[in-house]
Amino acid sequence: MSTALKTPEVHAADAYDVQKIRQDFPVLHQMAHGKPLVYLDNAATAQKPQAVINAIVDYYQHDNSNVHRGVHLLSERATQAYEKARETVQHFLNAAHSSEIVFVRGTTEAINLVAQTYGRKNVGKGDEVLITAMEHHSNIVPWQMLCEEKGATLRVAPINDRGELLLDEFEKLLGPKTKLVAIPHLSNALGTIVPVREITRLAHQHNIPVLVDGAQAAPRMKVDVQELDADFYAISSHKLYGPTGIGVLYGKAKLLEAMPPYQGGGDMIASVTFEKTVYNKIPYKFEAGTPDIAGVIGLGAAIEYLERLGLDKIEQHEHELLAYATEKVTAIPGVTVIGTAQNKAGVLSFVMDGMHPHDIGTILDHEGIAVRTGHHCAQPVMQRYNIPATARASFGLYNTKEEVDALVAGIKRVSEVLA
Ligand SMILES: Cc1ncc(COP(=O)(O)O)c(C=O)c1O
């Protein structure tokens, strides 16, 4: 592939130099309402490094063509870049084969794909699907739709007040009727890290496959699907510093092979007559139609960027930020942190006495600080804590302690304004 746009030096010094890393992200260098932008909404979507932006522009400027179809040079280059990105994802997740990497629109589509293919084939009347009380809506609604269609039941494993899964209760809910377990790796509303390996071990004792919603974990920690023994693992590129509209479903080959296709159309077939269609091999069986080629290439560039920085360093950096922020925010009178699990990452959700989170978000915005307020697509989590919403600061690889200080000053300002 041509590289007319020079990918800037990645600022991955041995030590984690966050100021240098910030230079890779053009969007961060702007004012918001006259204040330097403090972007703390990374759990919603993360900003893109120049290397990702360049990879997408390069593709459209030099290689734009359809994949798997043409014998001409551009199509060959596009196909090569697309399939190279699949291998990049394979290594990133430590999947055993690149055929286990299916490109989809994002975590939501990955989960819907499994519900509509594996689920419709294997879940029947009277069966159960088991999830947890800390799911994002995208790991609830597709299972509800499936259960409704099939006459099956959605079971929910409870959490304690800290936001930790009650493993004993979870285990009690596993049984002969359970046909699938679906869990988050990291809760977007609470920040809880879920003990996935323990859960797959318990579920596999009953031969139940486990789908892991990795939307929030993949940007924040090293994920090894083989070590986790996850049967399915779903990720979104846009939370991983890549483009929107693209994501990945990892599935164990033997499961993907046995599943019916998700959508019909071009590319997912080996041969078609009016009488019969023979489906393509995996992963193409699940990639009907022209895919988001630029998105896949951008995702590949994002993963390469993360790997150059080092997932272990990113994890350590965010861990320090979260610990620092938790200590400072907890000390502010009237503030309660929602989600205090022992094992947490990335996310600091909080409420303030007598103040609606929406007002907190608006005042912080005027200070140049972007946080998320609302139910975070996790209404049952809000119900569990008997609150309508929270304000949520979520950290990314480029955030700094100074930005945490700005957040803390902003929250104090909220107290003054609304007092
Ligand atoms: C835990 C979790 N799961 C799933 C999703 C859905 O991701 P997407 O909207 O990229 O499909 C999100 C997005 O916020 C999330 O945080």
Side-chain angles (χ1 to χ4, degrees):
M1 214 177 120
S2 4
T3 47
L5 286 170
K6 282 276 166 273
T7 294
E9 243 338 78
V10 168
H11 296 110
D14 284 342
Y16 195 87
D17 188 339
V18 69
Q19 290 303 339
K20 279 193 173 161
I21 289 167
R22 288 175 70 80
Q23 291 169 23
D24 297 332
F25 291 82
V27 81
L28 296 177
H29 308 288
Q30 61 177 292
M31 305 296 270
H33 303 296
K35 309 270 170 59
L37 171 68
V38 175
Y39 187 78
L40 296 175
D41 195 16
N42 296 284
T45 200
Q47 302 300 347
K48 322 305 174 200
Q50 192 64 48
V52 167
I53 299 167
N54 286 358
I56 295 167
V57 174
D58 260 351
Y59 165 72
Y60 280 124
Q61 273 185 351
H62 302 287
D63 301 322
N64 178 51
S65 190
N66 215 325
V67 289
H68 305 139
R69 291 181 195 187
V71 291
H72 59 79
L73 184 65
L74 291 195
S75 179
E76 263 175 34
R77 284 213 299 255
T79 304
Q80 236 177 41
Y82 182 83
E83 291 304 330
K84 180 175 162 261
R86 196 188 306 276
E87 283 170 20
T88 303
V89 176
Q90 177 202 343
H91 296 129
F92 179 64
L93 295 177
N94 194 30
H97 308 283
S98 63
S99 62
E100 297 179 317
I101 303 301
V102 179
F103 289 120
V104 289
R105 281 194 298 127
T107 302
T108 304
E109 187 170 50
I111 297 170
N112 277 277
L113 188 159
V114 176
Q116 292 299 315
T117 59
Y118 183 89
R120 283 176 107 182
K121 186 171 174 191
N122 294 290
V123 177
K125 195 169 166 52
D127 288 338
E128 294 177 358
V129 174
L130 177 57
I131 61 173
T132 76
M134 64 180 119
E135 305 302 336
H136 186 279
H137 295 161
S138 63
N139 209 20
I140 302 174
V141 185
W143 308 116
Q144 257 169 356
M145 289 163 64
L146 175 72
C147 289
E148 196 169 65
E149 178 186 320
K150 295 290 182 174
T153 305
L154 187 64
R155 305 298 298 268
V156 182
I159 55 176
N160 63 19
D161 289 344
R162 300 170 67 95
E164 293 159 327
L165 184 65
L166 295 170
L167 266 181
D168 290 355
E169 300 296 321
F170 171 86
E171 192 174 0
K172 280 188 217 152
L173 288 167
L174 291 171
K177 290 182 184 167
T178 320
K179 290 294 179 280
L180 192 102
V181 166
I183 53 166
H185 197 167
L186 200 172
S187 157
N188 67 309
L190 301 169
T192 311
I193 299 174
V194 174
V196 172
R197 183 64 194 98
E198 187 60 11
I199 287 173
T200 56
R201 196 182 60 74
L202 292 171
H204 290 165
Q205 284 170 0
H206 300 259
N207 288 322
I208 305 165
V210 179
L211 175 142
V212 183
D213 167 355
Q216 297 295 345
R220 299 196 162 79
M221 60 186 75
K222 179 77 196 114
V223 172
D224 182 331
V225 289
Q226 293 190 78
E227 198 205 310
L228 294 172
D229 206 7
D231 299 281
F232 299 104
Y233 198 96
I235 63 175
S236 293
S237 153
H238 70 101
K239 298 192 197 282
L240 206 55
Y241 308 91
T244 51
I246 191 75
V248 171
L249 170 68
Y250 158 81
K252 284 182 182 165
K254 66 176 187 328
L255 290 171
L256 292 179
E257 271 157 8
M259 279 153 55
Y262 177 44
Q263 295 175 329
D267 250 24
M268 53 77 73
I269 55 93
S271 70
V272 178
T273 66
F274 285 121
E275 289 70 40
K276 184 173 168 55
T277 290
V278 177
Y279 303 129
N280 208 339
K281 58 186 184 189
I282 61 166
Y284 309 109
K285 181 170 79 173
F286 297 105
E287 293 180 5
T290 300
D292 181 355
I293 304 162
V296 166
I297 290 168
L299 168 59
I303 291 176
E304 283 170 11
Y305 180 84
L306 292 179
E307 287 182 334
R308 284 193 295 259
L309 290 187
L311 256 297
D312 50 341
K313 288 189 191 141
I314 294 169
E315 187 175 350
Q316 177 62 25
H317 175 70
E318 289 188 22
H319 181 78
E320 284 165 18
L321 281 183
L322 181 65
Y324 182 68
T326 303
E327 191 191 321
K328 296 256 168 186
V329 169
T330 310
I332 304 172
V335 175
T336 307
V337 171
I338 305 293
T340 50
Q342 293 268 325
N343 206 5
K344 260 191 87 170
V347 168
L348 186 64
S349 260
F350 59 94
V351 291
M352 295 175 74
D353 289 348
M355 294 173 199
H356 195 280
H358 185 78
D359 297 329
I360 303 173
T362 307
I363 294 170
L364 289 178
D365 177 51
H366 279 99
E367 300 294 313
I369 303 163
V371 298
R372 182 78 176 264
T373 60
H375 52 64
H376 316 295
C377 294
Q379 286 183 2
V381 174
M382 302 299 120
Q383 288 148 17
R384 167 68 177 74
Y385 288 90
N386 213 7
I387 47 176
T390 73
R392 180 188 72 185
S394 53
F395 304 105
L397 61 86
Y398 37 62
N399 288 126
T400 65
K401 282 195 169 165
E402 291 72 30
E403 289 181 309
V404 173
D405 292 337
L407 171 71
V408 170
I411 296 173
K412 289 182 178 160
R413 174 112 187 90
V414 173
S415 300
E416 286 161 23
V417 172
L418 295 180

